[in-house]
């Protein structure tokens, strides 16, 4: 697995690993890298089947396979424990790790994630897959911002969104890999296991997320014992991109406390 380390280089520095959503690209976390890099060793990576780690995925693919990739990266980087931050599908990877390998996590941050896919989210993905099948990758990618960003933000950043959609065609993971990753996402269900998670957890979400209802995050926060909820008033499914200062403040505040707890003086 190819990965990149930003920020502090010394191996003794606390490490954060950032895991993207369905798109899979580590570049999703660009708005957070500078701030996090001041205090942390920051690991980003492209999910297997995407970007620098592209390969054709098996049809029978699961979130556990994605979590195993994270463990491989941690081992390669010589990291025993990390703060794990996952967006949407990346959050499911974090949940799997917290349940199977809790000793590898100093803390867990779930961004617009869920324990079991909501019926509304499933309906959105059905529509997106229909676009892919009948309109191709370009149609799929042109529609993608509708599910990620709030309408006012899309209106203010029209040129940027158009440019990113066009660039996305060149980085598209392919229909087969997308279906395999989406199948893993849809099959994941940790709803009956959340009470067993003992890792300090931040659940971050935006009220106006049109892809994943914020109630999914509220349910996570209620079910995970050592958790807190940071609910932004706006920002959409990608609120770490659209309101980065709010997200950064919530994240750094939580990480500061979690780092002090795991590295007491």
């Amino acid at each position: 697995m190819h990965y990149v380390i930003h920020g502090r280089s010394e191996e003794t520095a606390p490490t954060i690993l950032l895991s993207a959503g369905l798109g899979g690209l580590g570049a999703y976390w660009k708005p957070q890298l500078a701030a996090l890099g001041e205090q942390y060793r920051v690991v980003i990576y492209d999910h297997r089947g995407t970007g620098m780690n592209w390969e054709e995925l098996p049809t029978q693919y699961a979130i556990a396979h994605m979590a195993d990739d994270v463990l491989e990266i941690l081992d390669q980087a010589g990291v025993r424990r990390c703060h794990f931050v996952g967006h949407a599908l990346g959050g499911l990877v974090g949940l799997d790790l917290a349940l199977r390998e809790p000793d590898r996590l100093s803390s867990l941050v779930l961004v617009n994630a869920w324990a079991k896919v909501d019926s509304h989210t499933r309906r959105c993905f059905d529509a997106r897959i229909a676009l892919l099948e009948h309109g191709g990758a370009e149609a799929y990618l042109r529609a993608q911002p509708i599910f990620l960003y709030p309408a006012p933000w899309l209106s203010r950043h029209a040129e940027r969104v158009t440019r990113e959609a066009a660039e996305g065609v060149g980085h598209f993971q392919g229909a087969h890999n997308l279906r395999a990753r989406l199948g893993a996402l849809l099959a994941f269900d940790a709803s009956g296991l959340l009470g067993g998670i003992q890792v300090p957890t931040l659940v971050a979400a935006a009220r106006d997320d049109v892809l994943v209802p914020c109630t999914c995050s509220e349910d996570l926060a209620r079910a995970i014992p050592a958790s807190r909820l940071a609910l932004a008033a706006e920002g959409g499914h990608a609120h770490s991109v659209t309101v980065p200062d709010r997200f950064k403040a919530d994240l750094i505040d939580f990480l500061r406390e979690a780092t002090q707890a795991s590295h007491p003086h």
Side-chain angles (χ1 to χ4, degrees), residues 189-262:
D189 183 359
S191 55
L193 305 172
L194 299 177
I197 294 177
Q198 299 301 317
V199 178
T201 302
L202 173 67
V203 181
R207 289 189 182 277
D208 61 349
D209 186 342
V210 299
L211 179 61
V212 181
C214 65
T215 49
C216 294
S217 290
E218 292 173 338
D219 291 343
L220 283 172
R222 277 192 294 268
I224 297 174
S227 67
R228 70 167 73 166
L229 177 66
L231 195 56
E234 60 184 14
H237 188 60
H239 79 284
S240 57
V241 174
T242 60
V243 288
D245 290 343
R246 163 63 196 266
F247 178 75
K248 178 179 68 176
D250 290 334
L251 178 61
I252 289 180
D253 180 59
F254 168 77
L255 290 172
R256 184 182 300 113
E257 292 186 13
T259 299
Q260 291 172 352
S262 60

Side-chain angles (χ1 to χ4, degrees), residues 74-234:
L74 293 178
D75 290 342
Q76 288 179 11
V79 176
R80 188 178 69 84
R81 291 168 62 88
C82 75
H83 301 281
F84 182 95
V85 183
H87 176 251
L89 178 147
L92 310 190
V93 175
L95 286 171
D96 186 85
L97 288 169
L99 290 166
R100 289 198 293 133
E101 298 286 346
D103 291 342
R104 303 301 298 269
L105 302 185
S106 299
S107 71
L108 174 63
V109 180
L110 306 172
V111 187
N112 292 315
W114 58 89
K116 179 181 180 180
V117 70
D118 183 82
S119 59
H120 169 74
T121 304
R122 187 181 294 271
R123 183 179 300 110
C124 290
F125 281 126
D126 286 344
R128 294 171 70 181
I129 290 299
L131 270 174
L132 177 63
E133 291 177 349
H134 299 289
E138 184 175 354
Y140 174 89
L141 292 166
R142 285 183 63 191
Q144 181 169 264
I146 298 170
F147 299 96
L148 295 180
Y149 308 124
W153 190 92
L154 284 169
S155 180
R156 291 194 303 269
H157 298 86
E159 291 185 5
R160 169 181 169 176
V161 172
T162 299
R163 182 177 66 253
E164 288 180 354
E167 293 172 352
V169 174
H171 300 289
F172 185 54
Q173 59 194 271
H176 170 81
N177 282 4
L178 178 63
R179 289 191 187 93
R181 287 164 51 73
L182 184 57
L185 176 160
L186 295 174
F188 183 80
D189 183 359
S191 55
L193 305 172
L194 299 177
I197 294 177
Q198 299 301 317
V199 178
T201 302
L202 173 67
V203 181
R207 289 189 182 277
D208 61 349
D209 186 342
V210 299
L211 179 61
V212 181
C214 65
T215 49
C216 294
S217 290
E218 292 173 338
D219 291 343
L220 283 172
R222 277 192 294 268
I224 297 174
S227 67
R228 70 167 73 166
L229 177 66
L231 195 56
E234 60 184 14

